[in-house]
Amino acid sequence: APPSPAPAPPLLHTGDRVACGADGCIVTTKECAAAGGAAAAVCPTATAAPPPPPPAHRQNFALARDGAKVVGTNLGARKADALLDDDGDTFLRNERSTSPQWVVLELAQVASLDTLELSQHELYSARVHEFEAFGRRSNPRLDSNGGGKAVDLGASLGSPPWESLGSFAATNVRGSQAFPVASGAWVKYLALRLLSYHGAEPVCALNELRAYGVSAVEDLEARLAVEGGEGGGDGEAAAAASPAEGPAPVGPEPGDAG
């Protein structure tokens, strides 16, 4: 039998997301053409990037409209609230020369996070490369150095009661990237420490941060459903025979004003 013909290359249209350039940065064909492509409609050196998977219906605990808020940032950071507004046209801005760079957020609910997602849409700014994430249950604004003076939030990251949620490296991609979190910790406060950037631009931009996972209520409902199924309806007996692991009670921390 004659060999099957090679598949035709995908048709590219203005606005399609493509991988263009030696660094594999994902942009649109229009942007690729502006950077040296032969035509505004097609970038001949580009390869079609796979479409992003359809988003699952999962709760983002870092949304301002659900109650998430910014607790603090490094000196010089601007518009940190943009991380929580679900608007791709706004962004947290830092000067590249600023060090250290960090942001502390209060999540909408106590949650066990399994995924962090960063979105970076700005074309002419540096993009986050390496960063660290931390979480805790208690309100960091109530910490003190023993003399009644509040501690420096940025300097406290990495020290108890902050718990590491992982160290991550983002690729130089315009768009969104997801990072798995495996700690299993139950947290109300989330902190990012931004360590390095791709590119040499003097301005660093981060459009959105999403924090996915399960809430304490969702975890309890799931455990009760499992216990009820395994116990043949006798959930109390099953719970007594095998104590469930889960978060501590989710009421306010002692002395926590919010």
Side-chain angles (χ1 to χ4, degrees):
S4 301
L11 296 177
L12 301 178
H13 304 280
T14 301
D16 285 351
R17 296 173 69 251
V18 299
C20 177
D23 61 357
C25 180
I26 294 179
V27 295
T28 66
T29 54
K30 182 176 180 180
E31 293 163 349
C32 184
V42 176
C43 180
T45 62
T47 57
H57 182 68
R58 304 186 64 205
Q59 183 171 0
N60 173 17
F61 295 98
L63 269 179
R65 65 171 176 261
D66 291 337
K69 62 187 71 173
V70 175
V71 175
T73 67
N74 59 272
L75 186 65
R78 298 175 57 188
K79 299 183 179 179
D81 290 340
L83 297 178
L84 311 176
D85 64 10
D86 202 25
D87 181 351
D89 293 328
T90 60
F91 54 88
L92 165 67
R93 172 184 170 131
N94 273 297
E95 297 296 325
R96 191 185 192 90
S97 58
T98 301
S99 180
Q101 296 184 19
W102 54 271
V103 59
V104 176
L105 309 173
E106 180 180 353
L107 301 178
Q109 299 182 49
V110 174
S112 178
L113 302 180
D114 57 47
T115 305
L116 297 178
E117 185 176 299
L118 301 187
S119 292
Q120 304 180 97
H121 305 298
E122 304 310 306
L123 187 58
Y124 300 109
S125 62
R127 299 178 182 128
V128 173
H129 180 198
E130 297 169 305
F131 68 98
E132 298 172 320
F134 305 91
R136 60 185 284 172
R137 285 286 309 278
S138 59
N139 189 339
R141 291 171 294 188
L142 302 181
D143 291 349
S144 70
N145 60 6
K149 183 179 180 180
V151 300
D152 182 323
L153 285 179
S156 72
L157 299 182
S159 301
W162 287 106
E163 180 175 344
S164 174
L165 302 182
S167 298
F168 309 95
T171 57
N172 189 18
V173 172
R174 183 169 180 257
S176 299
Q177 297 180 66
F179 306 90
V181 176
S183 76
W186 290 90
V187 302
K188 175 65 171 173
Y189 297 87
L190 171 67
L192 294 188
R193 184 157 58 192
L194 309 177
L195 303 175
S196 65
Y197 288 89
H198 292 287
E201 293 83 356
V203 173
C204 307
L206 179 59
N207 294 83
E208 296 174 68
L209 167 66
R210 300 181 183 94
Y212 296 109
V214 296
S215 69
V217 172
E218 291 171 327
D219 178 76
L220 177 60
E221 290 175 346
R223 288 190 286 111
L224 289 177
V226 171
E227 291 169 358
E230 292 179 349
D234 189 4
E236 293 184 0
S242 179
E245 295 182 1
V250 297
E253 297 286 334
D256 189 345

